[in-house]
Amino acid sequence: MVALTRGHDWAATPLGPMEGWPQELRFTVGLMLRSRQAMFIGWGPDVTFLYNDAYLDILGARHPRALGQPMREVWPDAWPVARDLVRRAYDGEPLLHEDLLIPLVRNGAVEDCYFTFSYTPITDETGRIGGFLCIVAETTAAVERVRAEEEVRRANERLRAEGDRLRALFRQAPGFMYVWRGPDHVYEMANDAYFDLIGRRDIIGKPARQALPEIVGQGFFELADQVYATGEPFVGEGMPARIARRPGAPLEERFVTFVFQPIRDDQGRVMGMFVQGSDVTGMKRTEDALRESQQRLHIAQDAGGVGTFELRADGMLAVSPQFCRLWGIGERPLVRLEELVALIHPDDRANLNTLRPGQVPTDGLGYVEYRINRPDSGAERWIARRAQAIAGEEDGEARILGACYDITDRKCAEDALRALNTTLEQRVAERTADRDRMWRLSTDIMLVARFDGTITAVNPAWTTLLGWDEAELQDVAFLEFVHPDDLAATVAEAGRLASGLTTLRFENRYRHKDGSYRWISWTAVPDDRFIHAVGRDVTARKESEAALRRAEDQLRQAQKMEAVGQLTGGVAHDFNNLLQALSSCLTMIGRRSAEPKLAPLLEAGMQAVDRGAKLVQQLMGFARRDSLRPEPIDVRDRVLGMAGLLERALRADIRLETRFAPGLHPIEVDPTQFELALINMAVNARDAMPEGGTLTIGAENRTLGPGDSPGLEGEFLRLTVADTGTGMTPEVAAKAFDPFFTTKDVGKGSGLGLAQVYGLARQAGGTVWIESRPGEGTRIVLLLRATAGVPRAPAVSADAAGPFIAGARVLMVEDDPVVASSVAAALEESGWTVLRAGSADEALPLLAGDERIDLLFSDVVMPGRLSGIDLSREAAILRPGLPVVLTTGYSEDVARTEGIAVLSKPYRIDTLLQTLHKAVAKVRG
């Protein structure tokens, strides 16, 4: 900084040339530049900025532009804090601050930074304050470390407190608890309630039969042995136990309700037992007293004017005599519900959900008030009713039990009191206005509803979040907006509210005005008449959770398919060799026999070989072990070119439609595998439309961003194959891509069609999924990665191979002796001279020798250190220009053999001869 400071153009700054600086400034600048402590100087009215080398770490990217600039321009982000400090320094006040928070912009974002620094005023030659010297050290790391240590200390304290709280809860639990270990039921721990039951005896570490000898033979330990042996919990209710509750005391009969709950280790073995229960002796002893009190209750009800009733499912009410006297009807044990409904004031009937004969509600009960017109006197009376739904002891059906009493006198008193409290109502109105502001401004939706679900009030957030106006919601049941799948749970939760319970974090989906749904998390509390609820939109969180679950499902599917693919791909080579041997032998039999009756059998055999080859090709396509030759293709041209083939695969009652967006990206796939996948999907669609329908093939470009599809990002082509058939159940769709899974009759499907489609999608760097519902058709969607390659023009059909070149010598390298012998025989019979080798290692000396060889014909996968591809490279060195033809049952390396003809096993002898003739003729021509 010394050289930079001396070379700076100070004449262009308010300080002017350095020669004209005050002596005090020059002295302080020299002191600052020699110091290893971070310092800066602010000088003059503009607080011109000078600094030393040690200050560069704090300046960062602001250096060297900051030199000679006003401090407010160097530190615009810190200036709101520093302005007052600078003013005080210019007023002559020395300042010192430790760990002062100053927000700074670093790396494009505002960061909280901490500094310890001092401002020392500097006087000029006239004795006035010309500026100040700042000595500074950044303490951000130290401050953050201290705060982190404090947070760790507080967390440890919370953990210790939580542990103490849990131990205290166990010890102070009202019911007894203890833990047994091992088959002898050794006591590990027990709480205070258990010691109160058995007496303060020493039981910890002792087997149960030793600790409580008087319990032996009462059946408890036998039950414990059974639970330990079977692992099945046991619940005992009101079981008698004779126990000595004090040393030397006689046995006392107690009644206990308890549960024996097995405790298992990581391997699922039972290692002990947790026992929890209650001493219910008091309940047993109060049963007699309860029966005696029931008679007194009836007397009290009559004296207090309380009538009781039971609402039955047949529309009848079983009533007490006092009930009849309250309603002004003749005394009788049963009253029809319609008779009572007629006596209720019409304006109050909507508040009752027990007025429908034959329907016994299980919610919306509790306390309610209404008016009746007594038929005996014509007087209008106010009735209060309390009711509760309970399950029948025998059939489990709901029963409504309740009581009612006359509250006319209380209602008259309330009216009189209301008239006297007009000033109180004014104060309440003012407080209500404050709550109304929160009601209007809250971004969470708020709701007031009756227990029958009728909405009485909503806040404006409903319009913002769900699009509904208040007028559209008023007096409508909120259940009409709940998603059908959440309706049962919502009804149950409303029932809990009606019984007086509070709702915390209940989640369901509500319908937006545009038809979509939003996830809402509710908190609700009831009062005597209404439900008060607040809901928060949690749709984004729910969608994130669903996306995570889908990603996990896709990962499990990919792992399963990869494992099965490795198994199926492993057998392809041997199976293709068997098919090749069979094909060659059938060809030789046909050539050497003129028996007419053999021709149909030989043709049937060759068709079986072809079917086996197709099956293996599907297996390898699924297993991603096929000898693939991926290349850029135009999906639109490829599908349209297959139109005739697809129409032949379908029936006359199925219409084929194509929908292609303009400017489709090319994709890089093996063309044969792509066409095979399209045929497989078309055949599946045909079988799913027995009554005819439409098959639609469409494609469009898609750009996937982070999170759009797990593991995929960039440019893709979205290919869809949709039918109007029977559709799939979720269970079938989940297994549709599994190899060998089929819903077709035996012999009508291999179960490999969609497995091959899955393999193609993975080979193309994409994915595939199914969208289907029973009766609504099926849509198969493939995402295939776009390529920058250019699809090549359709190849012009080459002429058939020329006539056989006499005397041609072929070196055949084949490790399978059956294939080698049968193919060699066919070649020799066709006029070729065949040299045979069982591996690449055996073939190399022949290639290095002088014997004439016109063509190398080699398998790809062979034992030894070299493959057929490696052998072709050696042949190019040893015999430049030697034509090479490769053959393989499967190999993933074949795609790298540019310029070499490759025959896939099993091949026909005629195809082999034509390929060999072309290779030799091409070189000789």
Side-chain angles (χ1 to χ4, degrees):
M1 283 302 298
V2 173
L4 185 62
T5 302
R6 289 177 177 172
H8 190 71
D9 182 11
W10 295 104
T13 70
L15 297 184
M18 293 183 67
E19 303 82 50
W21 291 3
Q23 181 63 31
E24 292 79 0
L25 175 59
R26 289 199 301 273
F27 173 78
T28 307
V29 170
L31 175 67
M32 175 188 69
L33 293 175
R34 292 190 299 271
S35 175
R36 294 184 179 181
Q37 173 65 41
M39 300 181 184
F40 72 84
I41 295 173
W43 190 265
D46 291 333
V47 196
T48 303
F49 208 69
L50 303 95
Y51 49 91
N52 63 359
D53 289 315
Y55 192 70
L56 297 181
D57 290 339
I58 298 175
L59 267 179
R62 305 170 199 254
H63 172 74
R65 181 181 55 82
L67 187 63
Q69 298 297 313
M71 182 176 177
R72 65 179 179 275
E73 297 179 7
V74 176
W75 293 108
D77 40 359
W79 188 244
V81 177
R83 180 192 297 112
D84 184 64
L85 302 177
V86 171
R87 180 189 58 75
R88 292 164 62 187
Y90 272 82
D91 289 343
E93 179 183 356
L95 303 174
L96 174 63
H97 289 277
E98 296 183 351
D99 298 330
L100 181 65
L101 170 63
I102 301 179
L104 297 179
V105 176
R106 288 181 171 176
N107 301 318
V110 177
E111 298 181 4
D112 288 342
C113 303
Y114 296 86
F115 296 90
T116 295
F117 60 92
S118 65
Y119 278 9
T120 303
I122 305 172
T123 58
D124 58 16
E125 63 272 11
T126 64
R128 291 181 299 180
I129 303 299
F132 64 92
L133 170 67
C134 175
I135 303 175
V136 61
E138 183 169 357
T139 60
T140 302
V143 170
E144 292 178 346
R145 181 173 61 254
V146 170
R147 291 187 174 181
E149 292 172 351
E150 177 64 19
E151 184 63 27
V152 171
R153 184 186 64 79
R154 292 177 180 174
N156 289 334
E157 290 178 354
R158 288 193 296 270
L159 288 175
R160 285 193 296 271
E162 182 65 15
D164 294 342
R165 188 180 72 85
L166 292 176
R167 285 189 289 273
L169 288 174
F170 176 83
R171 188 179 65 256
Q172 300 173 14
F176 62 79
M177 300 180 186
Y178 57 90
V179 176
W180 279 334
R181 181 186 71 252
D184 294 331
H185 315 310
V186 177
Y187 282 95
E188 279 196 343
M189 62 177 69
N191 69 345
D192 293 346
Y194 189 62
F195 284 113
D196 291 341
L197 176 64
I198 66 171
R200 296 291 174 173
R201 62 179 90 183
D202 184 15
I203 62 172
I204 303 302
K206 295 181 180 180
R209 288 179 170 86
Q210 176 184 342
L212 300 177
E214 69 269 27
I215 299 298
V216 175
Q218 297 187 36
F220 290 92
F221 296 146
E222 290 77 8
L223 289 172
D225 293 338
Q226 180 181 353
V227 171
Y228 190 90
T230 64
E232 296 294 330
F234 176 80
V235 177
E237 296 185 358
M239 295 183 62
R242 295 181 302 279
I243 190 169
R245 304 190 69 192
R246 295 184 305 278
L251 295 182
E252 179 181 342
E253 185 176 55
R254 308 293 293 179
F255 293 90
V256 292
T257 293
F258 63 93
V259 58
F260 285 162
Q261 178 63 44
I263 301 174
R264 301 180 184 271
D265 60 16
D266 294 339
Q267 285 73 39
R269 297 187 296 264
V270 177
M271 57 181 293
M273 211 174 304
F274 173 77
V275 184
Q276 185 271 335
S278 301
D279 182 355
V280 296
T281 306
M283 294 175 56
K284 288 286 187 178
R285 291 173 178 172
T286 57
E287 288 181 352
D288 292 339
L290 180 60
R291 283 191 295 270
E292 182 179 348
S293 68
Q294 286 178 344
Q295 184 177 5
R296 294 197 298 269
L297 175 61
H298 290 308
I299 297 173
Q301 288 175 345
D302 291 342
V306 178
T308 59
F309 67 92
E310 176 182 353
L311 176 60
R312 304 192 322 193
D314 60 358
M316 300 295 291
L317 274 78
V319 298
S320 66
Q322 182 60 29
F323 181 96
C324 296
R325 290 192 288 270
L326 283 173
W327 285 72
I329 60 178
E331 292 186 9
R332 51 191 184 273
L334 294 175
V335 180
R336 296 192 64 82
L337 180 61
E338 292 89 340
E339 180 181 351
L340 299 179
V341 171
L343 303 179
I344 298 174
H345 196 287
D347 294 342
D348 297 340
R349 292 173 187 172
N351 298 331
L352 299 168
N353 65 345
T354 56
L355 304 183
R356 295 183 295 274
Q359 298 185 23
V360 179
T362 59
D363 58 356
L365 303 174
Y367 179 83
V368 65
E369 299 174 353
Y370 51 90
R371 292 163 290 179
I372 67 170
N373 293 306
R374 290 175 60 101
D376 56 349
S377 64
E380 182 181 275
R381 306 294 294 178
W382 275 96
I383 299 295
R385 184 216 70 189
R386 292 187 183 274
Q388 183 177 1
I390 61 174
E393 297 179 355
E394 297 180 359
D395 54 10
E397 293 185 358
R399 300 166 58 205
I400 303 297
L401 301 179
C404 59
Y405 45 95
D406 193 302
I407 59 170
T408 304
D409 294 341
R410 194 195 75 190
K411 282 290 186 179
C412 293
E414 289 175 354
D415 293 338
L417 181 62
R418 190 177 299 110
L420 296 175
N421 286 337
T422 54
T423 58
L424 176 61
E425 290 181 354
Q426 179 63 31
R427 292 195 300 270
V428 171
E430 293 174 355
R431 295 180 183 177
T432 302
D434 293 336
R435 289 194 294 270
D436 286 344
R437 278 190 290 273
M438 182 179 68
W439 171 274
R440 293 192 305 271
L441 298 177
S442 174
T443 58
D444 292 336
I445 61 176
M446 298 182 180
L447 166 74
V448 179
R450 299 188 184 96
F451 290 110
D452 62 0
T454 303
I455 298 173
T456 61
V458 295
N459 71 334
W462 280 78
T463 304
T464 304
L465 181 60
L466 295 173
W468 299 102
D469 295 333
E470 182 177 0
E472 297 173 309
L473 299 170
Q474 193 73 27
D475 296 327
V476 179
F478 59 75
L479 294 176
E480 295 184 12
F481 301 94
V482 176
H483 193 284
D485 293 344
D486 301 335
L487 190 58
T490 305
V491 169
E493 192 65 23
R496 294 179 70 255
L497 285 165
S499 64
L501 299 177
T502 298
T503 292
L504 298 175
R505 296 185 65 182
F506 174 77
E507 296 180 350
N508 61 4
R509 287 163 288 184
Y510 267 68
R511 177 165 46 87
H512 193 280
K513 192 171 182 179
D514 62 10
S516 62
Y517 284 89
R518 303 288 191 273
W519 276 100
I520 308 296
S521 178
W522 291 99
T523 299
V525 294
D527 58 18
D528 289 342
R529 298 177 58 193
F530 298 105
I531 299 171
H532 303 267
V534 178
R536 176 159 295 176
D537 184 5
V538 294
T539 304
R541 174 172 62 81
K542 284 288 187 177
E543 291 174 348
S544 298
E545 293 171 352
L548 177 60
R549 286 193 297 272
R550 288 194 299 271
E552 291 172 345
D553 291 342
Q554 290 177 358
L555 176 60
R556 283 192 293 270
Q557 176 72 3
Q559 291 171 339
K560 178 176 67 175
M561 301 296 271
E562 180 65 21
V564 178
Q566 291 176 359
L567 175 63
T568 55
V571 302
H573 177 260
D574 292 338
F575 193 55
N576 271 331
N577 276 340
L578 293 175
L579 292 174
Q580 180 59 58
L582 180 59
S583 174
S584 300
C585 290
L586 290 173
T587 300
M588 295 303 298
I589 292 172
R591 288 185 175 187
R592 295 178 180 181
S593 174
E595 175 61 46
K597 294 182 179 181
L598 282 180
L601 298 177
L602 293 174
E603 181 60 27
M606 291 303 292
Q607 290 179 4
V609 170
D610 291 341
R611 290 179 61 188
K614 182 179 179 182
L615 179 62
V616 174
Q617 185 184 26
Q618 289 180 322
L619 276 170
M620 292 188 295
F622 154 70
R624 290 178 283 165
R625 296 295 194 275
D626 201 359
S627 303
L628 301 179
R629 296 250 180 180
E631 63 179 64
I633 69 168
D634 185 305
V635 170
R636 179 182 179 278
D637 292 347
R638 185 68 58 169
V639 174
L640 294 179
M642 293 177 60
L645 180 61
L646 290 172
E647 290 175 351
R648 287 192 295 275
L650 302 174
R651 296 189 308 274
D653 58 354
I654 297 177
R655 186 179 62 198
L656 175 64
E657 294 184 356
T658 57
R659 298 173 183 175
F660 298 111
L664 293 178
H665 296 313
I667 60 172
E668 187 166 352
V669 294
D670 184 299
T672 302
Q673 288 295 321
F674 177 81
E675 293 177 357
L676 179 60
L678 207 57
I679 290 295
N680 286 333
M681 289 186 285
V683 170
N684 281 347
R686 177 199 67 194
D687 295 342
M689 295 185 286
E691 304 299 328
T694 302
L695 175 65
T696 303
I697 302 176
E700 61 182 356
N701 296 331
R702 282 291 177 90
T703 300
L704 300 184
D708 289 345
S709 183
L712 300 179
E713 185 175 350
E715 298 296 327
F716 286 81
L717 182 137
R718 185 177 189 266
L719 177 67
T720 60
V721 179
D723 63 59
T724 58
T726 57
M728 303 183 190
T729 64
E731 293 77 16
V732 171
K735 298 180 180 179
F737 293 118
D738 290 357
F740 309 113
F741 175 79
T742 180
T743 59
K744 300 177 183 178
D745 295 337
V746 176
K748 293 188 176 180
S750 65
L752 291 173
L754 288 182
Q756 186 267 339
V757 173
Y758 177 86
L760 172 80
R762 302 298 290 177
Q763 291 159 9
T767 188
V768 60
W769 67 88
I770 293 175
E771 300 172 355
S772 182
R773 287 186 179 180
E776 298 182 8
T778 298
R779 179 192 301 270
I780 300 178
V781 182
L782 294 92
L783 280 179
L784 306 175
R785 187 174 295 278
T787 180
V790 179
R792 64 183 181 183
V796 180
S797 300
D799 295 334
F804 169 65
I805 302 171
R809 297 167 63 85
V810 59
L811 172 57
M812 184 174 73
V813 187
E814 173 61 63
D815 63 300
D816 190 301
V818 178
V819 174
S821 61
S822 60
V823 174
L827 291 175
E828 289 171 348
E829 187 172 284
S830 299
W832 288 82
T833 300
V834 181
L835 303 177
R836 289 174 53 181
S839 67
D841 294 327
E842 293 180 15
L844 276 178
L846 296 176
L847 290 170
D850 297 331
E851 188 170 2
R852 182 168 67 87
I853 298 174
D854 297 312
L855 182 140
L856 171 62
F857 177 50
S858 174
D859 195 4
V860 174
V861 180
M862 295 179 292
R865 62 186 181 88
L866 299 178
S867 68
I869 297 174
D870 299 326
L871 180 63
S872 68
R873 297 192 183 108
E874 294 294 331
I877 297 173
L878 295 172
R879 297 194 179 213
L882 179 68
V884 178
V885 176
L886 297 178
T887 181
T888 181
Y890 86 91
S891 172
E892 294 177 327
D893 294 330
V894 171
R896 298 187 285 107
T897 58
E898 293 293 337
I900 299 178
V902 179
L903 274 178
S904 296
K905 292 181 180 178
Y907 49 80
R908 295 202 177 192
I909 294 300
D910 292 341
T911 304
L912 170 64
L913 292 174
Q914 185 181 24
T915 302
L916 298 185
H917 291 170
K918 281 184 179 181
V920 174
K922 180 178 181 181
V923 174
R924 293 189 176 184

